[in-house]
Amino acid sequence: MSTHLPTTDVRDPASRARTDRMRDALLAADFTADGLLELLGAPAYAALARSETVPALRATRGDSPLETLVWLFLLQRPVERARAEAALPVGDCLADGWLVQDGDELRAQVDVRPYGGPEGQDWWVVSDLGCAVGGAGGIRGAGQVDRSELVLGVGGASTTLAGITVSTPVGRALDLGTGSGIQALHASRHATHVTATDLNPRALRIASLTLALSGASPAELREGSLFEPVGEERYDLIVSNPPFVISPGARLTYRDGGMGGDDLCRTLVQQAAAHLNDGGYCQLLANWQHVEGEEWTDRLRSWVPRGCDAWVVQREVQDITQYAELWLRDGGDHRTSPEEYAARYDAWLDEFEARGTRSVGFGWITLRKSGADDPSITVEEWPHPVEQPLGEAVVGHFARQDYLRRTDDAALLAGHFRLAGEVVQEQVGLPGAEDPEHVVLRQNRGMRRATKVDTVGAGFAGVCDGSLPAGRILDAIAQLVGEDPVLLRDRTPEAIRMLVEQGFLEPVGTEG
């Protein structure tokens, strides 16, 4: 099978026109995320996202243009030229290398997968054949392409990062380790200029195809590792889904960083501050080691560069055997001989043992260049469901940190607060009891946090509508419960700060 990639060139008007005609044909056939869901049905659509093709084959036994495109680009099955011509401008696709002809049949050179943008855009993500999704199924590879150069499409990590990314308008954005270009595609919506880098030149070519086929503005593409390709340039937004896998060696470029342990992620975080404009964000996914005798939270705090606030969220922890098995399957090692598989498994465990690693954490890291002398660094574990997209929640988190950092207790009690939207109160206790054992406030938006509060905290939160200062509300509560108002004012600011920090209460007025 050929290893060539399509040759779309946005600088060439003729090539750009051919790509536009191809995109028009995809839209006319309804080769979109919504169109696929309607054609295949939810079970087959979900199976396709797991690289399981049998349900989709059963659902595409006709010869409509949409079914033809599914066969070509998603199932990688050859189709007769006459059938393909009813769905695509075949001459254009052959000229630019999207398709190749073999006798009377045509087949795709790459996987082209519909992807729905955050505002309903119809986009398409290009990847190597057999590499549209990663994970437990393992990559299959693409003909004679060196496995170390394979470029994956959209997986759960990609969509997670896109969901948490701050999407306010910016001048300059950097997608570090672009892969198939999905983060650059998202950044093109709200950044005037997008730079995309990758160590793998094949990834840069595929990212350019993703952007061109989706009708997005082209990114400036640069080859190299970490921040080397951008010199001393600075950005308002840096996003990265880096090769964060902690592995013995660097067999697969898309996942193995080539540094020992979690050094690649640490290096990326520590170098980011020098490439951020004031107020800029760096957001990335990462793995980190849980090392014997060391708190993982301290490990992550030590990564944060000076002058940056940070929010680190650990979403998952796997013991070293689970972790090794996941990535052995991802690399297709489970398909080798039992002896070879066992040897590679041993190599992973040897690596972890040498580093004292007992488990591996996965999560999100967000830096904001605040320049603060007393930076806010929040490192927490939150494995529970959240509401995506979370970009606005990220902005809100740092805005609340700014407010709390500049507001002493006297100003806090003089401030006005409003209960955040869709917060509910739950009372837990024995049936028939006069008073609940405890009261829980629960968010139904954003991080969907829940926190225990006492009766004073619950009463305070319930009354907050922005009309009265906190101190006056506490005075009224003190009168109701028969408590000294001075003592109540003294002991409550800590609880108010917690409710503000976690997003249950929002400062309003000039204080906010």
PDB file of all heavy atoms in Angstrom, residues 267-285:
ATOM      1  N   THR A 267       9.062  19.285  31.782  1.00  0.00           N
ATOM      2  CA  THR A 267       9.817  20.258  31.000  1.00  0.00           C
ATOM      3  C   THR A 267       8.893  21.208  30.261  1.00  0.00           C
ATOM      4  O   THR A 267       9.123  22.427  30.218  1.00  0.00           O
ATOM      5  CB  THR A 267      10.746  19.532  30.005  1.00  0.00           C
ATOM      6  OG1 THR A 267      11.635  18.680  30.731  1.00  0.00           O
ATOM      7  CG2 THR A 267      11.546  20.511  29.180  1.00  0.00           C
ATOM      8  N   LEU A 268       7.845  20.664  29.675  1.00  0.00           N
ATOM      9  CA  LEU A 268       6.896  21.495  28.944  1.00  0.00           C
ATOM     10  C   LEU A 268       6.266  22.540  29.868  1.00  0.00           C
ATOM     11  O   LEU A 268       6.192  23.726  29.531  1.00  0.00           O
ATOM     12  CB  LEU A 268       5.814  20.602  28.325  1.00  0.00           C
ATOM     13  CG  LEU A 268       4.966  21.157  27.188  1.00  0.00           C
ATOM     14  CD1 LEU A 268       4.256  20.005  26.472  1.00  0.00           C
ATOM     15  CD2 LEU A 268       3.933  22.157  27.661  1.00  0.00           C
ATOM     16  N   VAL A 269       5.842  22.105  31.059  1.00  0.00           N
ATOM     17  CA  VAL A 269       5.225  23.029  32.012  1.00  0.00           C
ATOM     18  C   VAL A 269       6.220  24.096  32.450  1.00  0.00           C
ATOM     19  O   VAL A 269       5.911  25.298  32.468  1.00  0.00           O
ATOM     20  CB  VAL A 269       4.687  22.252  33.232  1.00  0.00           C
ATOM     21  CG1 VAL A 269       4.246  23.225  34.332  1.00  0.00           C
ATOM     22  CG2 VAL A 269       3.513  21.372  32.826  1.00  0.00           C
ATOM     23  N   GLN A 270       7.434  23.690  32.789  1.00  0.00           N
ATOM     24  CA  GLN A 270       8.410  24.638  33.316  1.00  0.00           C
ATOM     25  C   GLN A 270       8.877  25.638  32.262  1.00  0.00           C
ATOM     26  O   GLN A 270       9.216  26.774  32.590  1.00  0.00           O
ATOM     27  CB  GLN A 270       9.599  23.879  33.908  1.00  0.00           C
ATOM     28  CG  GLN A 270       9.234  23.105  35.172  1.00  0.00           C
ATOM     29  CD  GLN A 270      10.399  22.325  35.747  1.00  0.00           C
ATOM     30  OE1 GLN A 270      11.344  21.984  35.040  1.00  0.00           O
ATOM     31  NE2 GLN A 270      10.344  22.039  37.039  1.00  0.00           N
ATOM     32  N   GLN A 271       8.889  25.238  30.992  1.00  0.00           N
ATOM     33  CA  GLN A 271       9.333  26.149  29.936  1.00  0.00           C
ATOM     34  C   GLN A 271       8.218  27.034  29.405  1.00  0.00           C
ATOM     35  O   GLN A 271       8.486  28.011  28.689  1.00  0.00           O
ATOM     36  CB  GLN A 271       9.945  25.348  28.780  1.00  0.00           C
ATOM     37  CG  GLN A 271      11.245  24.638  29.128  1.00  0.00           C
ATOM     38  CD  GLN A 271      11.828  23.889  27.942  1.00  0.00           C
ATOM     39  OE1 GLN A 271      11.232  23.797  26.860  1.00  0.00           O
ATOM     40  NE2 GLN A 271      13.020  23.326  28.133  1.00  0.00           N
ATOM     41  N   ALA A 272       6.977  26.716  29.753  1.00  0.00           N
ATOM     42  CA  ALA A 272       5.848  27.430  29.161  1.00  0.00           C
ATOM     43  C   ALA A 272       5.828  28.906  29.525  1.00  0.00           C
ATOM     44  O   ALA A 272       5.464  29.759  28.701  1.00  0.00           O
ATOM     45  CB  ALA A 272       4.535  26.767  29.576  1.00  0.00           C
ATOM     46  N   ALA A 273       6.192  29.244  30.759  1.00  0.00           N
ATOM     47  CA  ALA A 273       6.085  30.637  31.211  1.00  0.00           C
ATOM     48  C   ALA A 273       6.872  31.581  30.311  1.00  0.00           C
ATOM     49  O   ALA A 273       6.430  32.710  30.035  1.00  0.00           O
ATOM     50  CB  ALA A 273       6.564  30.753  32.655  1.00  0.00           C
ATOM     51  N   ALA A 274       8.029  31.145  29.819  1.00  0.00           N
ATOM     52  CA  ALA A 274       8.864  31.997  28.975  1.00  0.00           C
ATOM     53  C   ALA A 274       8.232  32.257  27.620  1.00  0.00           C
ATOM     54  O   ALA A 274       8.688  33.147  26.883  1.00  0.00           O
ATOM     55  CB  ALA A 274      10.244  31.353  28.796  1.00  0.00           C
ATOM     56  N   HIS A 275       7.182  31.502  27.275  1.00  0.00           N
ATOM     57  CA  HIS A 275       6.544  31.646  25.962  1.00  0.00           C
ATOM     58  C   HIS A 275       5.111  32.165  26.069  1.00  0.00           C
ATOM     59  O   HIS A 275       4.369  32.120  25.092  1.00  0.00           O
ATOM     60  CB  HIS A 275       6.576  30.305  25.227  1.00  0.00           C
ATOM     61  CG  HIS A 275       7.973  29.830  24.941  1.00  0.00           C
ATOM     62  ND1 HIS A 275       8.700  30.252  23.855  1.00  0.00           N
ATOM     63  CD2 HIS A 275       8.788  28.996  25.639  1.00  0.00           C
ATOM     64  CE1 HIS A 275       9.898  29.685  23.876  1.00  0.00           C
ATOM     65  NE2 HIS A 275       9.971  28.914  24.943  1.00  0.00           N
ATOM     66  N   LEU A 276       4.727  32.651  27.241  1.00  0.00           N
ATOM     67  CA  LEU A 276       3.385  33.202  27.441  1.00  0.00           C
ATOM     68  C   LEU A 276       3.440  34.711  27.578  1.00  0.00           C
ATOM     69  O   LEU A 276       4.299  35.256  28.281  1.00  0.00           O
ATOM     70  CB  LEU A 276       2.734  32.610  28.698  1.00  0.00           C
ATOM     71  CG  LEU A 276       2.178  31.194  28.624  1.00  0.00           C
ATOM     72  CD1 LEU A 276       1.703  30.755  30.003  1.00  0.00           C
ATOM     73  CD2 LEU A 276       1.046  31.099  27.609  1.00  0.00           C
ATOM     74  N   ASN A 277       2.520  35.384  26.920  1.00  0.00           N
ATOM     75  CA  ASN A 277       2.303  36.797  27.187  1.00  0.00           C
ATOM     76  C   ASN A 277       1.627  36.944  28.539  1.00  0.00           C
ATOM     77  O   ASN A 277       1.019  35.996  29.051  1.00  0.00           O
ATOM     78  CB  ASN A 277       1.432  37.421  26.093  1.00  0.00           C
ATOM     79  CG  ASN A 277       2.170  37.547  24.771  1.00  0.00           C
ATOM     80  OD1 ASN A 277       3.364  37.847  24.744  1.00  0.00           O
ATOM     81  ND2 ASN A 277       1.470  37.322  23.671  1.00  0.00           N
ATOM     82  N   ASP A 278       1.716  38.138  29.123  1.00  0.00           N
ATOM     83  CA  ASP A 278       1.048  38.385  30.398  1.00  0.00           C
ATOM     84  C   ASP A 278      -0.442  38.081  30.268  1.00  0.00           C
ATOM     85  O   ASP A 278      -1.093  38.526  29.320  1.00  0.00           O
ATOM     86  CB  ASP A 278       1.249  39.838  30.830  1.00  0.00           C
ATOM     87  CG  ASP A 278       2.697  40.130  31.213  1.00  0.00           C
ATOM     88  OD1 ASP A 278       3.448  39.164  31.444  1.00  0.00           O
ATOM     89  OD2 ASP A 278       3.063  41.318  31.262  1.00  0.00           O
ATOM     90  N   GLY A 279      -0.965  37.324  31.221  1.00  0.00           N
ATOM     91  CA  GLY A 279      -2.369  36.934  31.179  1.00  0.00           C
ATOM     92  C   GLY A 279      -2.663  35.739  30.304  1.00  0.00           C
ATOM     93  O   GLY A 279      -3.807  35.282  30.236  1.00  0.00           O
ATOM     94  N   GLY A 280      -1.643  35.207  29.636  1.00  0.00           N
ATOM     95  CA  GLY A 280      -1.851  34.091  28.725  1.00  0.00           C
ATOM     96  C   GLY A 280      -2.002  32.766  29.446  1.00  0.00           C
ATOM     97  O   GLY A 280      -1.590  32.604  30.602  1.00  0.00           O
ATOM     98  N   TYR A 281      -2.589  31.805  28.744  1.00  0.00           N
ATOM     99  CA  TYR A 281      -2.852  30.479  29.297  1.00  0.00           C
ATOM    100  C   TYR A 281      -2.028  29.426  28.567  1.00  0.00           C
ATOM    101  O   TYR A 281      -1.833  29.498  27.347  1.00  0.00           O
ATOM    102  CB  TYR A 281      -4.323  30.105  29.134  1.00  0.00           C
ATOM    103  CG  TYR A 281      -5.285  30.847  30.021  1.00  0.00           C
ATOM    104  CD1 TYR A 281      -5.867  32.040  29.603  1.00  0.00           C
ATOM    105  CD2 TYR A 281      -5.627  30.351  31.276  1.00  0.00           C
ATOM    106  CE1 TYR A 281      -6.771  32.725  30.417  1.00  0.00           C
ATOM    107  CE2 TYR A 281      -6.523  31.024  32.100  1.00  0.00           C
ATOM    108  CZ  TYR A 281      -7.088  32.206  31.660  1.00  0.00           C
ATOM    109  OH  TYR A 281      -7.980  32.887  32.468  1.00  0.00           O
ATOM    110  N   CYS A 282      -1.568  28.434  29.324  1.00  0.00           N
ATOM    111  CA  CYS A 282      -1.026  27.198  28.757  1.00  0.00           C
ATOM    112  C   CYS A 282      -1.856  26.052  29.304  1.00  0.00           C
ATOM    113  O   CYS A 282      -1.985  25.901  30.525  1.00  0.00           O
ATOM    114  CB  CYS A 282       0.445  27.009  29.138  1.00  0.00           C
ATOM    115  SG  CYS A 282       1.122  25.402  28.636  1.00  0.00           S
ATOM    116  N   GLN A 283      -2.416  25.245  28.416  1.00  0.00           N
ATOM    117  CA  GLN A 283      -3.285  24.139  28.830  1.00  0.00           C
ATOM    118  C   GLN A 283      -2.829  22.862  28.149  1.00  0.00           C
ATOM    119  O   GLN A 283      -2.643  22.820  26.931  1.00  0.00           O
ATOM    120  CB  GLN A 283      -4.737  24.452  28.471  1.00  0.00           C
ATOM    121  CG  GLN A 283      -5.257  25.692  29.198  1.00  0.00           C
ATOM    122  CD  GLN A 283      -6.726  25.944  28.934  1.00  0.00           C
ATOM    123  OE1 GLN A 283      -7.075  26.671  28.024  1.00  0.00           O
ATOM    124  NE2 GLN A 283      -7.584  25.334  29.740  1.00  0.00           N
ATOM    125  N   LEU A 284      -2.649  21.815  28.948  1.00  0.00           N
ATOM    126  CA  LEU A 284      -2.165  20.565  28.396  1.00  0.00           C
ATOM    127  C   LEU A 284      -2.703  19.382  29.188  1.00  0.00           C
ATOM    128  O   LEU A 284      -3.159  19.514  30.330  1.00  0.00           O
ATOM    129  CB  LEU A 284      -0.641  20.516  28.398  1.00  0.00           C
ATOM    130  CG  LEU A 284       0.063  20.519  29.748  1.00  0.00           C
ATOM    131  CD1 LEU A 284       1.318  19.641  29.683  1.00  0.00           C
ATOM    132  CD2 LEU A 284       0.449  21.935  30.153  1.00  0.00           C
ATOM    133  N   LEU A 285      -2.629  18.228  28.568  1.00  0.00           N
ATOM    134  CA  LEU A 285      -2.887  16.951  29.227  1.00  0.00           C
ATOM    135  C   LEU A 285      -1.545  16.349  29.619  1.00  0.00           C
ATOM    136  O   LEU A 285      -0.532  16.589  28.955  1.00  0.00           O
ATOM    137  CB  LEU A 285      -3.627  16.004  28.291  1.00  0.00           C
ATOM    138  CG  LEU A 285      -4.939  16.520  27.696  1.00  0.00           C
ATOM    139  CD1 LEU A 285      -5.568  15.439  26.823  1.00  0.00           C
ATOM    140  CD2 LEU A 285      -5.908  16.961  28.770  1.00  0.00           C
TER     141      LEU A 285
END
